[in-house]
């Protein structure tokens, strides 16, 4: 199967899982307003290292727009997803210590190692959820609650990304 078609199918599946499964999980009481994990962000986080900034931003825009269109959230997911795509190269430069990775290498658990991968994922999912929460609330009246909600959602999203990595990533002996 063509790599581009395969990526489109994976992205579409992640958006559908987000919209029709994750967004409809009902947790009890206060937990429901606190935890709002996002699975589709994994596509942006795990794009190959050699992906151009323009392609990264356009992909993030398309993913966020698809979620916004299916949920009626008026650009909130698009803005947060594009912000993550914009900050991703900087986060990778800070965390990636080896320069010998080729452009097709993904920033996976096996490339970055556990500590760097968790830091990378948690940092970018926190930025995503913070932007999402601030844009949803659009005031600083409940700033502590907004930051706490973003942190809890980022931790839940990071757990989902790690599970995704453990289930679907092929282990390559060349990496840690």
């Amino acid at each position: 199967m063509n790599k581009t078609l395969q990526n489109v199918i994976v992205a579409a599946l992640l958006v559908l899982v987000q919209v029709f499964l994750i967004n409809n999980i009902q947790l009890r009481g206060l937990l429901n307003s606190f935890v709002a994990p996002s699975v589709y962000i994994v596509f942006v986080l795990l794009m190959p290292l050699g992906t151009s900034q323009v392609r990264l931003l356009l992909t993030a825009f398309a993913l966020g727009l698809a979620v916004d269109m299916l949920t009626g959230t008026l650009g909130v997911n698009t803005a947060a997803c594009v912000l993550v795509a914009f900050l991703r190269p900087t986060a990778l430069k800070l965390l990636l210590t080896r320069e010998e990775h080729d452009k097709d290498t993904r920033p996976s658990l096996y490339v970055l190692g556990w500590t760097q991968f968790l830091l990378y994922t948690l940092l970018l999912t926190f930025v995503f959820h913070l932007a999402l929460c601030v844009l949803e609330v659009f005031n600083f009246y409940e700033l502590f609650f907004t930051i706490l909600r973003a942190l809890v959602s980022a931790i839940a999203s990071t757990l989902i990304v790690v599970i995704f990595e453990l289930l679907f990533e092929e282990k390559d002996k060349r990496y840690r």
Side-chain angles (χ1 to χ4, degrees), residues 18-29:
Q18 179 68 47
V19 172
F20 295 113
L21 182 66
I22 301 294
N23 288 355
N24 291 316
I25 293 176
Q26 296 296 316
L27 301 173
R28 297 187 184 261

Side-chain angles (χ1 to χ4, degrees), residues 130-146:
L130 186 62
L132 200 66
C133 291
V134 167
L135 289 172
E136 282 177 352
V137 175
F138 211 68
N139 68 35
F140 294 106
Y141 180 69
E142 298 174 343
L143 185 62
F144 178 74
F145 179 76
T146 302

Side-chain angles (χ1 to χ4, degrees), residues 77-138:
N77 287 286
T78 304
C81 204
V82 168
L83 177 64
V84 166
F86 180 74
L87 295 175
R88 179 183 177 257
T90 305
L92 284 170
K93 282 180 188 173
L94 291 173
L95 295 173
L96 201 58
T97 56
R98 296 204 275 171
E99 294 296 326
E100 67 264 12
H101 298 300
D102 62 7
K103 65 180 182 129
D104 293 330
T105 303
R106 293 183 323 103
S108 68
L109 181 62
Y110 303 104
V111 171
L112 296 176
W114 276 97
T115 306
Q116 287 180 323
F117 183 76
L118 287 174
L119 189 59
Y120 164 72
T121 307
L122 188 59
L123 175 70
L124 288 180
T125 56
F126 177 70
V127 167
F128 173 80
H129 285 289
L130 186 62
L132 200 66
C133 291
V134 167
L135 289 172
E136 282 177 352
V137 175
F138 211 68

